[in-house]
Amino acid sequence: MPVFSLAAEVMKWNLYSFITSCFLFLFYRWKNWWIRGILSLAMISGFFLIIYLGSFMLMLLVLSIQVKCYHEIITIGYRVYHSYDLPWFRSLSWYFLLCVNYFFYGETVADYFATFVQRREQLQFLIRYHRFISFALYLAGFCMFVLSLVKKHYRLQFYMFAWTHVTLLITVTQSHLVIQNLFEGMIWFLVPISSVICNDITAYIFGFFFGRTPLIKLSPKKTWEGFIGGFFSTVVFGFIFSYFLAQHQYFVCPVEYNSETNRFVTECEPSELFQMKKYSVPPLLQAVLGWETVNMYPFQMHSFALSTFASLIGPFGGFFASGFKRAFKIKDFADTIPGHGGIMDRFDCQYLMATFVHVYITSFIRGPNPSKLLKQLLILQPEQQLSVYKTLKSHLVEKGILQPSLRG
């Protein structure tokens, strides 16, 4: 009996150890998933709140993210090259950031707030000579850098000078394009960004549950199953999400500044992109779907291009970031968000997406903008406005749109 009792105790202890090991295995396997999931929902909820608050808050969000991403990349440079003792370099890095932001945001003000600037003499001077002022500010920083050169640190200082300028190119230039996209209509901001987020989440989920085949050595956790699952999920999401956004002026109208109310407005007659149209279904799909025609917004066709880029090319921004981190032997850009790493770890694909959307809009979407042209005309001198009027009138008469006898 004692032998059997001892054997029973051993079996009980082994069973207990097995259950405990399984529990710990599942706990640690799912712990990161829960952390990432909860924080992802929190960030998405905060993002929707900012959308509700309007375009200006979105611009502030973009600026905040830009500054934080710049800080994370520059900090890596400081740590890698041990450059804390370089004279003036930390100050100069932030000075160059201010200079470049002054240039880009000044261009935005001159482009979209012309009537507002026209009413204020101080701003007229700053806008008129904006590029000269921007260049002078940059030259001041350049001269300060040259004067700060120390014999024993020449190579290191030039390394960091190049590091700063590449970081400016990655963060400031791309965030400027994000804001340019936003001015075209909030839908051009939300669909691309949401597509990247959707692809990131669904690729992670598909990879977590079904991932077996490694995708790329730079990122060992990425799998073909996650990549393919993320692609199809993102295309479907982009198509459906675009359908709901295209129904509302708030999302489809270009963001404009109303100088009378001093507010951003999104009111307009929606363009043809956002008006429901009937399309013929290809013969091959008619047999499957049973439909000959389908009603949809033309923008939904463009959403295919945006979603495809977000899911097939966008991840390469993440692969690039993974290669960068491996080169400098770091796991994340920072530890700002538990389970996610730094802000740059979450937005490494967004910057690449912003450039694509801007190029896509200028290549296939954007045409002459009467509203912007009118703003430019209003800031001309009276004699210049009269000259434009006479030229336009003469042109319309020649085309037969106006009668020659019509008096202006």
Side-chain angles (χ1 to χ4, degrees):
M1 289 296 292
V3 174
F4 288 109
S5 177
L6 179 61
E9 288 295 329
V10 170
M11 290 179 64
K12 186 188 297 184
W13 176 255
N14 288 337
L15 180 61
Y16 172 78
S17 300
F18 175 75
I19 294 173
T20 304
S21 300
C22 290
F23 175 78
L24 290 174
F25 173 78
L26 292 173
F27 173 77
Y28 286 112
R29 179 174 171 81
W30 285 81
K31 180 182 177 182
N32 191 51
W33 194 91
W34 280 108
I35 292 174
R36 289 174 65 103
I38 292 171
L39 287 174
S40 294
L41 290 175
M43 288 188 288
I44 292 172
S45 301
F47 183 56
F48 282 130
L49 175 62
I50 293 174
I51 292 171
Y52 173 77
L53 294 175
S55 305
F56 183 70
M57 293 303 296
L58 282 172
M59 294 177 196
L60 289 180
L61 174 66
V62 172
L63 177 61
S64 302
I65 291 171
Q66 172 220 116
V67 172
K68 183 57 181 172
C69 289
Y70 180 82
H71 172 258
E72 290 178 358
I73 299 175
I74 287 295
T75 300
I76 292 172
Y78 289 142
R79 291 174 179 171
V80 170
Y81 292 111
H82 307 290
S83 52
Y84 292 100
D85 58 340
L86 293 182
W88 291 101
F89 209 89
R90 184 180 288 271
S91 300
L92 282 174
S93 296
W94 289 102
Y95 176 81
F96 282 126
L97 177 66
L98 290 174
C99 288
V100 177
N101 270 307
Y102 175 80
F103 170 74
F104 279 120
Y105 281 93
E107 293 286 305
T108 300
V109 170
D111 201 15
Y112 292 98
F113 304 90
T115 53
F116 174 78
V117 171
Q118 184 66 18
R119 297 180 180 181
R120 291 162 174 77
E121 281 189 36
Q122 303 89 341
L123 290 179
Q124 287 181 36
F125 174 82
L126 291 175
I127 294 301
R128 182 178 180 84
Y129 300 104
H130 170 67
R131 295 192 176 184
F132 180 80
I133 295 171
S134 300
F135 183 63
L137 290 172
Y138 177 81
L139 279 182
F142 180 81
C143 292
M144 289 170 65
F145 166 74
V146 174
L147 293 174
S148 71
L149 290 172
V150 179
K151 187 174 182 180
K152 63 178 181 178
H153 291 312
Y154 284 160
R155 181 179 296 181
L156 180 58
Q157 286 179 286
F158 279 103
Y159 278 157
M160 293 307 302
F161 185 77
W163 185 288
T164 298
H165 281 68
V166 171
T167 306
L168 289 171
L169 177 65
I170 293 172
T171 57
V172 182
T173 306
Q174 306 303 317
S175 63
H176 174 68
L177 295 181
V178 172
I179 292 176
Q180 293 291 307
N181 299 339
L182 177 60
F183 274 108
E184 295 296 326
M186 204 178 291
I187 195 169
W188 291 104
F189 174 84
L190 293 177
V191 171
I193 285 180
S194 300
S195 295
V196 172
I197 294 172
C198 173
N199 183 72
D200 188 40
I201 293 173
T202 55
Y204 179 80
I205 292 173
F206 274 94
F208 183 83
F209 288 104
F210 309 108
R212 295 291 182 274
T213 313
L215 175 64
I216 187 170
K217 291 182 179 179
L218 282 173
S219 191
K221 293 183 179 180
K222 304 293 184 183
T223 63
W224 275 104
E225 290 81 4
F227 186 74
I228 296 171
F231 165 70
F232 286 107
S233 301
T234 304
V235 170
V236 173
F237 167 81
F239 187 80
I240 297 173
F241 190 50
S242 299
Y243 173 79
F244 286 108
L245 293 185
Q247 301 177 45
H248 304 282
Q249 284 190 8
Y250 183 73
F251 297 115
V252 304
C253 291
V255 177
E256 296 183 351
Y257 180 78
N258 189 323
S259 57
E260 296 180 359
T261 61
N262 289 328
R263 296 179 61 186
F264 288 101
V265 295
T266 51
E267 298 175 357
C268 68
E269 181 65 30
S271 67
E272 292 185 357
L273 277 178
F274 308 107
Q275 295 179 11
M276 189 71 76
K277 291 186 178 181
K278 183 178 291 187
Y279 293 91
S280 298
V281 177
L284 291 176
L285 293 178
Q286 288 183 16
V288 178
L289 300 175
W291 303 334
E292 293 184 359
T293 60
V294 62
N295 293 324
M296 58 185 294
Y297 294 101
F299 180 81
Q300 289 179 271
M301 304 296 291
H302 294 289
S303 76
F304 277 114
L306 301 178
S307 299
T308 299
F309 186 91
S311 54
L312 297 185
I313 307 300
F316 281 85
F319 301 152
F320 177 86
S322 295
F324 178 87
K325 289 183 284 189
R326 283 180 172 273
F328 295 100
K329 296 180 174 60
I330 56 176
K331 184 178 184 295
D332 296 309
F333 283 94
D335 55 359
T336 309
I337 312 172
H340 290 266
I343 299 295
M344 191 65 196
D345 289 289
R346 293 297 91 211
F347 289 89
D348 46 13
C349 300
Q350 296 288 2
Y351 287 123
L352 194 60
M353 188 72 194
T355 305
F356 171 74
V357 174
H358 184 74
V359 172
Y360 188 87
I361 291 174
T362 54
S363 300
F364 305 110
I365 304 298
R366 183 186 295 162
N369 189 328
S371 176
K372 189 178 294 186
L373 179 61
L374 181 61
K375 289 179 181 179
Q376 295 295 324
L377 289 174
L378 291 175
I379 64 176
L380 296 176
Q381 297 298 322
E383 57 273 14
Q384 293 174 316
Q385 293 175 342
L386 188 60
S387 175
V388 171
Y389 166 73
K390 291 178 179 178
T391 303
L392 180 60
K393 177 186 173 183
S394 175
H395 175 72
L396 294 176
V397 168
E398 289 179 3
K399 294 186 70 173
I401 298 175
L402 290 179
Q403 297 299 321
S405 59
L406 185 65
R407 295 183 179 182

